[in-house]
Each structure stands twice: as structure tokens, then as C-alpha cells.
Amino acid sequence: MRTQSSTGEPISTYRHITSFTRINSGTIHFALPSQDMVLVALETKYQKLYAKIIQQNDTSITYHGVDAPGEMHVKMLQNNINTLERMFNFVTKIHSTKRCIGTRQILSEEDEMQPNGRVFKKFKMGDYMWRNFIETEFAATCFGRGLRELGQQPRQNIVIFAETRAEWLIAAHGCFKQNMPLVTIYATLGDEGIAHGINETEVDMVITSHELLPKFKTVLGITPNVKKIIFMEDQLHKTDVTGFKEGVQIIPFSTVIEKGEKSKMDGCSPTPDDTAIIMYTSGSTGTPKGVLLSHANCIGTMKNFCDIFKIYPDDVLIGFLPLAHVFELLAESVCLLTGVPIGYSTPLTLIDSSSKIMKGCKGDASVLKPTCMTSVPLILDRISKGINAKVNAEAPMKKAFFKFAYQYKTKWVARGFLTPIMDKIIFKKIARLMGGRIRGVMSGGAPLAPDTHEQIQTCLCVEMVQGYGLTETTAGAAVTDKWCMEYGVVGAPSSVNYIRLINWEEGNYRVTNKPYPQGEIVVGGTSVSKGYYKLPGKTGEDFFEEDGQRWFRTGDVGEVHPDGVLKIIDRKKDLVKLQAGEYVSLGKVESELKTCAVVENICVYGDSTKQNTVALIVPNPQALDDIAERQGIKGMEFEELCSSPVMEKAVVHELAEHGKKCKLHRFEIPTAVTLCKDIWTPDMGLVTAAFKLKRKDIQERYKNEISRMYAS
């Protein structure tokens, strides 16, 4: 049946409908919006099939998406865009003078007196300064040639160790143009992690930044091969290049570009099978592994992303996640491909209230007014808690009205309607936090709690897209689409990928389980990596080929619903069997409990000889103060509250109440906690650079506390 408006426009173009007038000859006629309930689509997830079964037996089941390739995917095939170099050359011809990458001006750094008498350094900031596509491509070409002039050769590894910024992307594409594999290292890693990546890949040239350059005064002592360091300059301060190891050249980024401008060196185009990136995984279970990502892998994931997202002419992305993470790098690459300008930011300058923004000065989001952003659950959880804290601080009447509005909106959205009047009165005010124009948020890197997903989508008035992938699958595996009304799922297989479930007998996950097939997730397709750098044994263990297709065993456990949508339900390495025989997925429990107001970070521990779990919690100071006040405790410092047995019992009660709301089983909810005074950072060695828990390290550090909790 065809659907169209009274003006003849098809409903499939996302028109808003409020009332149907009549049905005639298979056509639905309707009136335009005049009320607060607006039907957005006749086709919901309950009618749409997202993936089909292409292989099935008693031990495995394989799915592939049903949607045809999108317009940009087809263009890439037609124009033989099979490397990142060809991609950038192609889009530069199309978008030429359009804005490409932007950096916010820092006018000055000044002392600002705080209400408590302390003085903090704050930035006085100006507008965004933009390079267009021609200027960006030229800078990348010159940088690549400049590296050749300094002695770097094609197919010779080079390390980039820097924060996310415009120069990072320029440097990366300069390397791609000369077929130099780019080794990415997180900016938050400690000296040993940095040295491991540099030494294992045998590089003699490193690209870093003004802020991170001082680290090399010690790192160079344990990286004997490094002979040249290129640093990205600071806007305000001159870089101190003294005090480094003798014989090591320290070279400004701008000098490399100047060398390239004068160079007659030809480019060295890569092939699709050449390694584009050696990307180190975050190492949650041991030493970080270098994942080999080819140009074909990257192009495959870009096709996936293009098939999911609708791009509009006025779209702008705000970039602040680490570009050393494959998810952000590929998301920004899609922006280049589709002509979406990227304005760079940092967590310290993102919003008006960020720690480095001077009073009276706007944050980056307020100035840039982005329409799209990428994020990770850690950041979205914090935004969610910030919204809750602000609502809870309001007067009872306002709080009650917000609760009514929230329930009203979620009820009608679940039925396929929009609520524009309620959005305008209540929710658009919250959306102004990110500039007021955000329409799409893509979350990746870890599972997003359903409550957080719903709240961000509801309160920020955005399309919330959740993706599933790993560094080993170049971030591509599965992505939700905007019509999917179910929270807690990660979508159907992406267009160039296959999702397979394989029985995992130990966890009782089988493809024959009812109501949904379950098993370990294995990802196949163009985006699957060639393997691990210098680790043939581990590569053979985790990767395999079948009928010319590359596959990766993820270690994640999932189930596929009848519409073909995947849900992550467990992690093989996170599974603990308690004394009474119950299985507990530590990662799942942590994901749910992280949405509790008092939890800033959490590590749940289960001993197979015990009947219960316990938890190590980094508490939110404000939420801890609120609990203390309810307990009648006043005048105690944060450290004293963390050591208080009364507070530990009160937090256990908070977790129990929150766990019930999240529908956790009784045996999954920790019965004892330790409140940790220290924030877990990568420098402490307790979390990875992507802030994933290092369980073994946490358990070793807090082994006495774990023993005390079980003894109690």
C-alpha cells in the first residue's frame, strides 16, 4: 500500500501526521500537524525485518542485513574508492572550498578568582578558524612529503601520540598518502605503555603535541630507536625543546609542512591490502595488542556508517573523543567523505561550564552549534546523572511536572509519535547545553545502559544510534537505525558484515535456546582485521577464514531477536559462577549499576566459593554527600565518608534499590561495598586508556578490601 499526503508527498520522506481523513484506493490521506502528538512512521520495528538468516544448524546461526547499499556506498563502488588516499582525493574535488576542519581560537589564558578564593587558569576564547577541503588536503600532502624529506620511508611505521585536534587528522592523511602505517597510541597512557607501542613497532619517528612532548624526557630513555620527534605547536605558549636526550631532533609540525611545500617528492599510493593503521587495543586483560587495519578494512566500515546515517547540507560534527580510538577515527573519516565539517573541542572546553572556560565566555558547543556528535557510555552516563541532579534540585512542583513530561513523551515516542510542544517547553532547554542543534548522537566503545539511552534520546531530543564493534572489526559490526524503538540492543549486522552466534556450552548459551538464539558473537566481513602485529599465535586463536571470508571471535555473548537485531547479554571473560550455581555477568551488572547516582565507577567481584558478589565503588562526591545528609551525618570530608561503615551500608541499600529498578536478580546485586577514595585513571593502571576496567589489576590492588567485604 502506497502512503502519501494531501499534497502528494510520500510519508516515507519522514512527514509528520496527526489525523487520518480517509482511505481510498490504497492511499492514506492526512492532515498536517496541529497537535502535540505527531505520528512519524507507519513502519515500526515490529513490521520491519533488519537481518535474515543465511546459515543455521544446531551449533551456529549466521545473519546478514537486508537493506541495500546506500547512495554514498554505491558512489564509492562506482568510483573505485578503496583506500583512504583515494577517498580524500575524491571528496576534495567535490567539496573543494567547503569548510572541512576547524580549530577554536584561544585568545589568552588568564587567572580567574573562584568564590572560594582559589585562582584557576581559564581560557578567553574566540571563534572557530576553518580550513576548507583544498587547504586540508594540501596540508596533508605537504606533511607527508615533509616526512619523506626527513627520512621516513613508505611502509615504515610511524607513531602518533597526541590529543584529538585538526593536526592529528592532517598528519594521519599525510601518512596515508605516502603509504606509511600509522601507529596510534592513546594520549592517556603511562610511560611503559607508550614505550611498548614505540619499541614493538620499531619506529624512529614520533608525532606528538606541545602538551605531551615533556613526557619524552623520560620515555626516550627506554625507546632507543627514536631519533626524531615532531610536535604540534600550542596557540599561546612557545614549546621548550631543551633537556631532551642528546641526538634526538625535536621538530615543529609547521616546519614539516614547510619542507613538504618545497619538496618535489612524489606520493606513494597504498593498495587496499596495505596496512593503514596499527591500532593498539586498550589492554583490559593484559599487554595492549597492535591490531593491523588495512585501507580495505577502513573503507568497509565507512560504507557501513554511510548506509546508516542520513547527511544534511548544514550538518556539523563536534570532535572531542580520542582519534587514537578506531570508532572516532572512522566517524570523522565518514564526515570527510560526506562533506560534514568537523569542529574540534576538548572535554575542558566543550560546554559553557567546562573547567577551562572563562566566566562570560561560551563553550565550544555553544559557538560551533553542532548537529552531530560521537560519544561513549561513560560521557553519556555523566550527562544523564547531570540531568537527574538538576531536576532533583528543583522545587517539588517543577520536579513533578518534569516527571509527567518525561513519562508523557516516552509513552508516545514508543508508539511512534513525536511531542513537539513538550519538547519546546521542557526538553529543548536541556538540548541547549550542546548548542541547541544536536539531532544525532552515536554511541560506541562499550554497552550503553537502556535507561541512559532512553534519557539522552528523550531529554536532548536526538536520534540516538548505538553501534557495536571492536578494534579488530574496525569498529564495524552492527548498528541500530532510527526506526528501532527498542533500548539495550546494538542493531543488525552492518552492510559489509555478517554476525554469527556459536554455542558456548559452559555458559549455557546455545542457538537452540528459546525464545531467542544465543551464543558467542563471531563477526565476519570486509572490516575484519588481518590480525595482531607480531602475534601469530594470538591471531590464529582469535581470527579464521572460511570460504574466503575473514572472521573474528569477539568473546562477547549475544542473542538475536526475531527482527534480526542483536543484543549483547554477556562477556565470556566476565562470567562468574557463584557457589549456588548462578551465573553472574560482571560487565552487565556494572553497566546497570553505573546509572545509580552515587556510582562514578564500579568493579563488581564474584568469588565462586561464595553466594554473593561484592563491589569496589568510586563514589560521586555530591551524591555521597546527599546520602550522608539523609543518614544524619554532617561535617565529614569525602575521605571520612568513604571510610564510614554507616555510609557503606547506606550505599549497599542504594544499589539494592537501583538494582531492583534495573531488574537485576538478587544474587547479582553486591551485598557489600568498599568506597574508594581515589579516582581510577589510566595513570594508576586500573583502567585502560579507553577507561575500561583492568579487573586483575583492580583486584590485586584491593585484595585486602575484597577479603574484608567477604569476611563481613
Side-chain angles (χ1 to χ4, degrees), residues 160-179:
I160 186 163
F161 172 68
E163 309 90 341
T164 295
R165 53 191 287 177
E167 290 85 353
W168 204 110
L169 210 63
I170 289 169
H173 280 278
C175 293
F176 299 150
K177 286 174 176 293
Q178 296 292 341
N179 198 11

Side-chain angles (χ1 to χ4, degrees), residues 119-165:
V119 175
F120 291 136
K121 294 281 187 186
K122 301 276 187 173
F123 288 146
K124 183 178 180 182
M125 305 189 76
D127 292 326
Y128 270 87
M129 303 297 291
W130 292 91
R131 285 182 172 97
N132 63 31
F133 276 80
I134 291 174
E135 292 164 341
T136 306
E137 194 273 339
F138 180 69
T141 299
C142 291
F143 188 81
R145 287 177 179 166
L147 293 177
R148 292 287 302 276
E149 293 291 339
L150 288 170
Q152 182 76 12
Q153 297 300 314
R155 293 191 172 84
Q156 181 184 4
N157 298 335
I158 183 168
V159 158
I160 186 163
F161 172 68
E163 309 90 341
T164 295
R165 53 191 287 177

Side-chain angles (χ1 to χ4, degrees), residues 431-443:
R432 289 192 200 114
L433 181 74
M434 289 300 298
R437 294 180 66 227
I438 288 282
R439 66 170 183 85
V441 178
M442 182 172 183
S443 176

Side-chain angles (χ1 to χ4, degrees), residues 314-604:
D314 65 341
D315 273 335
V316 179
L317 178 91
I318 188 161
F320 62 93
L321 292 184
L323 274 164
H325 192 294
V326 66
F327 171 55
E328 179 69 12
L329 179 57
L330 268 296
E332 292 193 18
S333 296
V334 169
C335 288
L336 292 181
L337 174 64
T338 53
V340 174
I342 306 165
Y344 286 98
S345 178
T346 75
L348 301 179
T349 60
L350 184 62
I351 59 176
D352 296 355
S353 59
S354 292
S355 59
K356 289 292 282 186
I357 295 293
M358 185 178 293
K359 194 176 293 182
C361 194
K362 295 287 187 184
D364 298 335
S366 296
V367 174
L368 184 66
K369 299 190 183 305
T371 61
C372 311
M373 66 179 279
T374 53
S375 192
V376 292
L378 181 70
I379 292 172
L380 296 175
D381 283 342
R382 287 176 180 170
I383 293 173
S384 177
K385 287 175 185 175
I387 293 169
N388 289 336
K390 194 168 183 179
V391 170
N392 289 333
E394 295 284 2
M397 185 66 76
K398 281 189 175 181
K399 194 155 66 170
F401 183 66
F402 180 86
K403 185 177 180 181
F404 161 76
Y406 187 92
Q407 291 173 341
Y408 173 88
K409 180 172 180 177
T410 54
K411 180 179 74 173
W412 287 108
V413 166
R415 297 178 181 180
F417 289 76
L418 294 181
T419 57
I421 293 176
M422 202 63 81
D423 287 346
K424 189 173 183 179
I425 295 172
I426 299 290
F427 299 113
K428 288 294 184 183
K429 294 176 183 177
I430 300 172
R432 289 192 200 114
L433 181 74
M434 289 300 298
R437 294 180 66 227
I438 288 282
R439 66 170 183 85
V441 178
M442 182 172 183
S443 176
L448 181 65
D451 287 351
T452 302
H453 189 155
E454 181 183 71
Q455 187 173 43
I456 295 294
Q457 188 159 287
T458 301
C459 294
L460 295 186
C461 306
V462 296
E463 290 174 11
M464 187 81 214
V465 174
Q466 185 173 188
Y468 169 70
L470 306 93
T471 307
E472 290 88 345
T473 65
T474 326
V479 187
T480 58
D481 86 357
K482 65 184 179 184
W483 300 120
C484 184
M485 298 293 179
E486 188 176 357
Y487 299 118
V489 298
V490 295
S494 304
S495 53
V496 304
N497 289 106
Y498 299 86
I499 295 290
R500 177 177 293 174
L501 300 183
I502 297 178
N503 287 356
W504 182 37
E505 298 294 341
E506 183 184 343
N508 295 317
Y509 293 114
R510 302 180 183 89
V511 298
T512 53
N513 285 0
K514 303 295 181 185
Y516 309 124
Q518 299 175 326
E520 180 185 359
I521 300 166
V522 182
V523 178
T526 309
S527 68
V528 175
S529 162
K530 295 183 287 185
Y532 298 115
Y533 186 70
K534 290 185 177 179
L535 291 172
K538 186 64 177 168
T539 297
E541 184 182 326
D542 292 347
F543 295 85
F544 65 95
E545 288 208 13
E546 182 180 286
D547 299 328
Q549 193 77 259
R550 192 92 176 136
W551 295 84
F552 174 69
R553 299 179 177 91
T554 67
D556 291 322
V557 178
E559 64 182 26
V560 177
H561 294 185
D563 56 3
V565 169
L566 175 69
K567 182 176 184 178
I568 310 299
I569 58 173
D570 216 330
R571 172 85 182 150
K572 286 173 73 173
K573 292 175 184 175
D574 287 349
L575 198 67
V576 173
K577 188 176 183 181
L578 298 180
Q579 189 182 45
E582 303 104 333
Y583 281 97
V584 177
S585 170
L586 304 178
K588 184 195 83 170
V589 175
E590 287 159 355
S591 177
E592 296 290 0
L593 295 184
K594 269 183 185 176
T595 60
C596 182
V598 74
V599 177
E600 195 71 27
N601 210 342
I602 182 171
C603 179
V604 177

